[in-house]
Amino acid sequence: VEETAPLRSDWGDAPHVVQMYGREGDYRQVVEWLEDHSCRMVAIVGMGGIGKTALAALAARQVEESFASLFWCSLHNAPPLELVLKRCLRVVSARPVADVPANMDEQITLLLDAFRRQRCLVVLDNVESILQAGKPTGPYREGYEMYGELVRRIGTVQHQSCLLLTSREMPEEVARVEGKQSPVRALHLAGIEPGAGRALLKERDLSGSDDEWRTLI
């Protein structure tokens, strides 16, 4: 059976975001980092429901044409790293899935080789699903430790690609090396301004007095 050509992009279950409220500055910052060829990793961190995934989707759509390939994967259901790497390599590499080695360390090496050959964007959404809950720089759940090795190597090895991740907690490999002048950047999302919050909630057909709006927001 003849192998089909590699996909240029795989958006997986990335959300279709039409409108963004009160995140214009955050959006511009993430886009700027993604377009910076010296930036190897961007982490968007914040509490659940604050808009991390929507922001990542909008920014990734904006810069898609700047990359040779794009791969989006939600970790919400905590998929094994081996499956994620095989899907990712199918997108960013010309290597057929049947030729991908079973060893995860070798798979990560192949991914980094692809990252050096062409400019790729990989998005891992909901990273907190593979971290131990309740820790600000979380260690990984049992059986998911190799995700840490993936993040560490992408952040420290020289290449021309970028990993964009979203999480409620900061992976320790990111916390250890992130900084304004580092190839690894982190954006900590805070709440939005009252005016933007009111505009967002009006989309849900909510109404009330000014005091009620302030309390809810």
Side-chain angles (χ1 to χ4, degrees), residues 149-190:
E149 178 66 7
L150 171 68
V151 172
R152 183 192 68 79
R153 291 177 67 180
I154 290 176
T156 57
V157 173
Q158 183 67 42
H159 57 77
Q160 60 175 325
S161 300
C162 190
L163 170 64
L164 172 61
L165 59 86
T166 75
S167 183
R168 297 184 187 186
E169 290 90 27
M170 180 84 79
E172 57 187 351
E173 293 80 9
V174 178
R176 192 178 299 126
V177 297
E178 66 94 3
K180 291 182 180 179
Q181 304 303 319
S182 169
V184 178
R185 319 282 170 78
L187 177 67
H188 297 265
L189 285 192

Side-chain angles (χ1 to χ4, degrees), residues 74-81 83-84 126 129-131 141 144 147:
S74 171
L75 303 185
H76 178 70
N77 293 319
L81 178 59
L83 297 181
V84 173
N126 303 120
S129 299
I130 60 169
L131 300 176
R141 290 169 50 188
Y144 291 89
Y147 272 99

Side-chain angles (χ1 to χ4, degrees), residues 56-198:
L58 281 169
R61 295 279 184 190
Q62 176 64 29
V63 303
E64 180 179 10
E65 295 304 318
S66 300
F67 292 85
S69 58
L70 184 148
F71 175 72
W72 178 292
C73 182
S74 171
L75 303 185
H76 178 70
N77 293 319
L81 178 59
E82 180 183 359
L83 297 181
V84 173
L85 285 172
K86 285 182 176 180
R87 283 183 52 207
C88 185
L89 286 166
R90 181 70 182 90
V91 175
V92 305
S93 167
R95 183 180 295 268
V97 172
D99 291 346
V100 175
N103 182 279
M104 282 191 288
D105 190 67
E106 293 179 18
Q107 291 174 3
I108 295 173
T109 298
L110 284 177
L111 182 64
L112 290 169
D113 287 343
F115 277 13
R116 282 185 281 264
R117 286 195 306 270
Q118 62 180 4
R119 188 156 159 76
C120 312
L121 176 60
V122 172
V123 186
L124 297 181
D125 190 28
N126 303 120
V127 171
E128 72 276 353
S129 299
I130 60 169
L131 300 176
Q132 294 181 25
K135 309 220 175 144
T137 54
Y140 293 83
R141 290 169 50 188
E142 185 177 354
Y144 291 89
E145 294 85 359
M146 280 300 292
Y147 272 99
E149 178 66 7
L150 171 68
V151 172
R152 183 192 68 79
R153 291 177 67 180
I154 290 176
T156 57
V157 173
Q158 183 67 42
H159 57 77
Q160 60 175 325
S161 300
C162 190
L163 170 64
L164 172 61
L165 59 86
T166 75
S167 183
R168 297 184 187 186
E169 290 90 27
M170 180 84 79
E172 57 187 351
E173 293 80 9
V174 178
R176 192 178 299 126
V177 297
E178 66 94 3
K180 291 182 180 179
Q181 304 303 319
S182 169
V184 178
R185 319 282 170 78
L187 177 67
H188 297 265
L189 285 192
I192 57 178
E193 293 297 319
R198 188 162 182 164

